[in-house]
Amino acid sequence: MDLNRRFSPFTLLILSINGMVGSAWLFAPLYAAQIAGSAAIIAWLIGGAATALIALTFAEVSVLMPVAGGSARIPQLSHGTFTSFILSWIAWLSALTMAPIEVQAVLQYASTYFVSLTHSVNGVHLLTGMGFIWATILMLAFCIINIVSFKGLVRFNLVIFLFKVSIIVLTIVILMKVSFHPINFLGLKDSMTLTGWQAILTAVATGGVAFAFTGFKHGVELAGEAKHLAFGIPLAIVGSVLCCLVLYIGLQVAFIGALHPAALSHGWHNLSFVGDVGPFAGLAAGLGLVWLLKLLYIDAAVSPSGAGLIYVTSTARILYAMSQLGYMPTFLSYLNKQKFPVAAIFMNFTIGLFLFLPLPGWQAMVSFLVSGMVISYAMGPIALLCLRLELPQEKRLFRLPAAHVLCLVAFYFCNLMSYWTGWDTLYKLGIAMLIGLVFFAIACVRKKLPEASLGLKSAVWVVPYLGGLILISYLGAFGGKHIIPFGWDFLVLAVFSAVILYLAVKSRAGVLAGQLIENQVVEPVSV
């Protein structure tokens, strides 16, 4: 039984934007400003531009290979089983955590009125027993909406989208009209120093900026169910990034401008809102905008819920693809009568619940997620170049110009954003990858897979890539030993990226052409 092609271009775009605009807009403008001050605006421009370029590489690959769970399928086709497992494991682990984070954000805001939902431990909001019960209910609701009705999912998604985007635009307009202090932006010129640039780049990785754009991959994971591929997939993948970039910059400008200069007397790093769990709610309360405050608290439940709902949708497709490829038990590829991956949805739900025990805070989790997610992004430029070499004559309905140059830059951006999350985050990601290798080894032994079927020769670049990133992070200036000073680390990563990209493309499996010709890549279309 195969998935249906059911998502129109407009629906896919709305799904991607809805998945992107979640808890990030509620927290990231504060965290980014605490790290980079008014230069947080530059952080958003860098994060948006980098993500848009990476998204363009995935747009060409996903139009040519519109498969469900692209994070697992694409590397399997270009580099074989081992590479596919490692990258799909990282992508699945990162995406799996997103829905619980969005639920945590909902309950964190709701705890202002319902104090029994969370308690503070060393300044971090953790769920209580009652909070865990409500987290379970919300997660289960996301699953049910995803399963019961496709039309219900689309309609519910559209309502949430219209509401939360309207609130965001209203918040920007009202804050800029009621309270706007241009003096707060004077620090922009002082940020053009080595220290200032380091703060800006740290804000991209750990301040929620890169996290805010992760939703663009919904279009990649749902490509196997998309209609009108040449228009719909690029619109969803790239269009969602550009639309959200406009919203996020507007929010950051409004947030910085609305702050009373006295609030910055102790520096940006100490900026906080006592008694409130969200910066925009704190601003509205301080300005006496009670009606806006109420709307913000409503949207604080709606925005993360909408994002969590879509992450349940797309993350299930990754697990579905991993099951079909043999990395996970076969029952996880089971589809119900409406052709939804029910087993994968409920497996993610079950594992996701354990992540509430407890999550170590929104910002810390964001750093971990970004480090893993951007590594899975690296497959976009690699796969695009492999496809250009394997299928030079294949008609491309969407084609990225100057692909060789742009793919190198996109791959470089992936590695930079991962590096900027810092050593403390990357070494934890390394542990997660080792755990994945244990599962992979067990699966190989149980199935008695021959070495030739694992694609180890095509994976010659994977260990140097992941190990090299962790080593550079350890030696670097972002939480590491500062052996590689800030500035020189950019050059080191540039050379490293060029070498790894060359190895990755050179060691490609060389089976893409045959599989595409035999029509084994593209899901059978059922409209």
Side-chain angles (χ1 to χ4, degrees):
M1 188 182 292
D2 300 303
L3 296 168
N4 282 344
R5 291 203 179 275
R6 60 185 117 218
F7 295 117
S8 69
F10 177 74
T11 299
L12 205 58
L13 174 65
I14 299 303
L15 283 169
S16 297
I17 295 176
N18 216 0
M20 203 177 292
V21 181
S23 58
W25 87 267
L26 298 168
F27 296 105
L30 170 62
Y31 292 137
Q34 286 176 331
I35 296 170
S38 56
I41 298 168
I42 301 174
W44 285 105
L45 290 171
I46 293 173
T51 307
L53 179 57
I54 296 166
L56 282 168
T57 67
F58 274 100
E60 178 173 327
V61 173
S62 295
V63 170
L64 191 59
M65 296 196 304
V67 293
S71 292
R73 295 286 188 89
I74 291 171
Q76 196 274 338
L77 292 165
S78 63
H79 287 85
T81 301
F82 181 77
T83 301
S84 173
F85 178 84
I86 293 297
L87 292 176
S88 60
W89 171 265
I90 294 171
W92 174 64
L93 196 64
S94 301
L96 175 67
T97 318
M98 301 295 271
I101 281 185
E102 301 297 1
V103 169
Q104 174 100 356
V106 171
L107 297 177
Q108 188 171 323
Y109 258 86
S111 66
T112 302
Y113 292 109
F114 305 100
V115 295
S116 62
L117 295 176
T118 66
H119 63 108
S120 181
V121 177
N122 297 324
V124 177
H125 292 272
L126 302 178
L127 298 180
T128 62
M130 180 60 68
F132 183 77
I133 291 173
W134 277 104
T136 304
I137 292 171
L138 284 174
M139 291 279 287
L140 187 59
F142 295 161
C143 294
I144 292 172
I145 293 171
N146 264 279
I147 291 170
V148 171
S149 167
F150 168 69
K151 290 183 178 180
L153 170 66
V154 172
R155 289 169 182 168
F156 188 72
N157 175 68
L158 180 60
V159 170
I160 290 179
F161 166 80
L162 292 174
F163 179 79
K164 67 184 182 182
V165 171
S166 298
I167 296 300
I168 289 174
V169 173
L170 182 65
T171 300
I172 294 171
V173 172
I174 294 299
L175 288 181
M176 294 183 73
K177 183 177 180 180
V178 173
S179 176
F180 193 79
H181 303 279
I183 193 173
N184 293 344
F185 296 90
L186 294 179
L188 266 172
K189 62 181 181 181
D190 300 325
S191 64
M192 299 297 106
T193 62
L194 282 180
T195 303
W197 275 110
Q198 189 167 2
I200 291 169
L201 301 178
T202 301
V204 173
T206 66
V209 174
F211 170 78
F213 293 107
T214 54
F216 88 84
K217 279 199 76 182
H218 294 306
V220 178
E221 313 305 350
L222 298 173
E225 298 165 81
K227 300 177 181 179
H228 310 296
L229 304 177
F231 176 67
I233 292 178
L235 177 68
I237 295 176
V238 183
S240 60
V241 175
L242 298 179
C243 290
C244 289
L245 176 60
V246 173
L247 292 176
Y248 289 139
I249 290 178
L251 282 166
Q252 190 69 68
V253 170
F255 174 76
I256 293 172
L259 292 168
H260 194 282
L264 304 175
S265 58
H266 298 292
W268 288 96
H269 183 71
N270 294 308
L271 179 63
S272 62
F273 298 92
V274 179
D276 279 295
V277 291
F280 289 102
L283 282 174
L287 294 172
L289 301 171
V290 178
W291 63 272
L292 181 60
L293 178 64
K294 292 179 179 179
L295 283 176
L296 286 170
Y297 274 118
I298 294 172
D299 194 63
V302 173
S303 282
S305 294
L309 175 69
I310 306 309
Y311 269 104
V312 169
T313 306
S314 62
T315 307
R317 272 61 180 182
I318 301 177
L319 191 57
Y320 166 83
M322 292 176 75
S323 174
Q324 286 206 323
L325 292 170
Y327 308 153
M328 295 290 183
T330 54
F331 77 88
L332 292 173
S333 59
Y334 169 75
L335 303 177
N336 65 1
K337 291 182 179 179
Q338 294 196 9
K339 299 187 179 181
F340 286 109
V342 178
I345 289 172
F346 278 109
M347 177 58 75
N348 287 337
F349 161 74
T350 303
I351 299 174
L353 290 180
F354 287 96
L355 300 176
F356 290 112
L357 298 175
L359 287 173
W362 189 88
Q363 191 175 11
M365 283 303 299
V366 162
S367 299
F368 177 81
L369 289 171
V370 167
S371 66
M373 195 65 76
V374 295
I375 286 176
S376 73
Y377 290 173
M379 204 60 230
I382 291 172
L384 189 152
L385 292 179
C386 290
L387 282 166
R388 288 287 181 93
L389 292 172
E390 288 293 312
L391 301 166
Q393 304 302 322
E394 189 75 17
K395 182 180 179 180
R396 283 164 170 79
L397 300 177
F398 178 85
R399 188 181 183 91
L400 179 66
H404 287 81
V405 174
L406 293 182
C407 282
L408 176 58
V409 176
F411 187 64
Y412 180 46
F413 274 139
C414 291
N415 299 329
L416 282 173
M417 286 194 286
S418 186
Y419 170 70
W420 293 336
T421 62
W423 161 248
D424 189 55
T425 298
L426 274 179
Y427 92 83
K428 294 174 183 175
L429 181 65
I431 294 173
M433 286 187 286
L434 289 175
I435 293 172
L437 286 175
V438 172
F439 280 99
F440 182 74
I442 293 172
C444 290
V445 171
R446 288 182 62 185
K447 294 186 177 183
K448 299 180 180 179
L449 295 175
E451 182 179 333
S453 69
L454 300 180
L456 295 181
K457 289 183 179 179
S458 299
V460 67
W461 61 280
V462 175
V463 173
Y465 174 46
L466 300 177
L469 265 181
I470 294 172
L471 177 62
I472 293 171
S473 177
Y474 176 74
L475 298 174
F478 287 79
K481 296 295 184 180
H482 290 265
I483 295 174
I484 304 175
F486 180 74
W488 284 101
D489 49 4
F490 282 77
L491 178 60
V492 170
L493 274 169
V495 175
F496 172 76
S497 298
V499 171
I500 295 297
L501 184 61
Y502 174 80
L503 283 175
V505 175
K506 188 74 174 177
S507 63
R508 65 191 183 278
V511 297
L512 282 167
Q515 294 205 26
L516 278 170
I517 291 170
E518 294 171 14
N519 201 29
Q520 294 175 1
V521 173
V522 182
E523 300 277 359
V525 178
S526 175
V527 180

